[in-house]
Amino acid sequence: MKRFLMEGNICGERVRLGRALHKPPMTQEDLAREVNLLGMDMTKLIISRIEKNQRHVCDGELRMLAKALGVTMEWLCGDD
């Protein structure tokens, strides 16, 4: 039986890119604030760890990050 093992996440680079594409670019703190306004606790440290591929992202977090960045969940996962 093959096992699928993945460290970190697949959206970290896109979260960073999504912040950079905003006009003006969003900081990690800005993104954390937006996610918090949507009703999910997230800190700048969590976003930093996501972007550095040091933390997994659950589906609810992925949805909130996408909303806060104004992109789709598919885009965050690398699907165009």
Side-chain angles (χ1 to χ4, degrees):
M1 172 177 19
K2 269 189 155 180
R3 287 184 175 233
F4 177 72
L5 298 175
M6 182 177 78
E7 293 191 23
N9 61 68
I10 60 173
C11 69
E13 287 183 36
R14 288 286 178 110
V15 170
R16 187 179 311 114
L17 179 59
R19 287 191 308 102
L21 291 174
H22 266 261
K23 302 292 181 215
M26 293 178 88
T27 65
Q28 290 174 340
E29 190 170 317
D30 294 334
L31 181 55
R33 187 177 309 112
E34 289 297 318
V35 171
N36 284 309
L37 288 173
L38 291 170
M40 179 174 278
D41 287 337
M42 191 165 287
T43 64
K44 176 185 169 188
L45 177 60
I46 291 171
I47 293 170
S48 175
R49 292 186 68 213
I50 290 169
E51 290 182 356
K52 291 177 183 176
N53 202 25
Q54 297 173 341
R55 183 184 182 280
H56 289 281
V57 178
C58 73
D59 53 357
E61 291 172 328
L62 187 68
R63 174 175 281 158
M64 291 299 174
L65 287 167
K67 283 184 180 184
L69 290 168
V71 299
T72 65
M73 289 175 29
E74 291 79 11
W75 185 86
L76 279 182
C77 291
D79 297 333
D80 293 315

